[in-house]
Amino acid sequence: MKVSELSKKLNMEVLTSSDYEDHEVTGCYIGDLLSWVMGRAQSGDAWITIMSNINIVAVASLTDAACIILCEGVFPETEVIEKANSQGIIILRSSLTAYEIACRIEKLGKLDGD
């Protein structure tokens, strides 16, 4: 499933440039400890977190995350959005908890079409 489809189906706000919304989402990962996410998130994951500092952009880039989903209404500072735009990282936002988002992604079925 494309990030653009996921964001629409789950009614998420897109905070970054829509030029990158064709990234393919093949799974999801929930985590707030950046070093832990770096070692465990998989390429193509939608990364669900409450972290909103500038380092999330670097972690998403290193892990090749399809997007970052900020949950619980978290909103990043302008510099984070600007950095994400320059790196081609999509940031989505939702008022739902990480658990609720993951459950809704699961209800959408297999993401990679297998």
Side-chain angles (χ1 to χ4, degrees):
M1 172 181 306
K2 304 285 185 193
V3 171
S4 56
E5 295 173 76
L6 181 67
S7 66
K8 287 176 188 160
K9 288 181 179 182
L10 299 184
N11 197 30
M12 291 189 217
E13 181 182 1
V14 180
L15 300 179
T16 52
S17 172
S18 60
D19 295 343
Y20 306 104
E21 288 186 333
D22 63 344
H23 290 191
E24 192 73 26
V25 178
T26 56
C28 71
Y29 189 83
I30 301 171
D32 300 319
L33 184 58
L34 300 179
S35 60
W36 194 265
V37 174
M38 282 191 304
R40 288 169 176 78
Q42 302 294 309
S43 176
D45 279 351
W47 172 27
I48 306 168
T49 184
I50 58 167
M51 295 297 298
S52 64
N53 66 48
I54 194 98
N55 295 327
I56 63 172
V57 177
V59 171
S61 180
L62 285 170
T63 61
D64 194 30
C67 63
I68 301 169
I69 301 174
L70 299 178
C71 55
E72 299 192 31
V74 169
F75 197 89
E77 293 184 13
T78 303
E79 72 174 347
V80 175
I81 295 171
E82 290 171 354
K83 183 70 170 177
N85 278 328
S86 73
Q87 297 284 319
I89 303 296
I90 303 166
I91 301 178
L92 307 174
R93 181 173 177 252
S94 175
S95 61
L96 299 173
T97 66
Y99 175 77
E100 291 168 325
I101 293 168
C103 287
R104 289 183 184 193
I105 290 173
E106 175 64 22
K107 285 182 182 179
L108 293 176
K110 285 205 160 249
L111 296 172
D112 61 7
D114 291 338

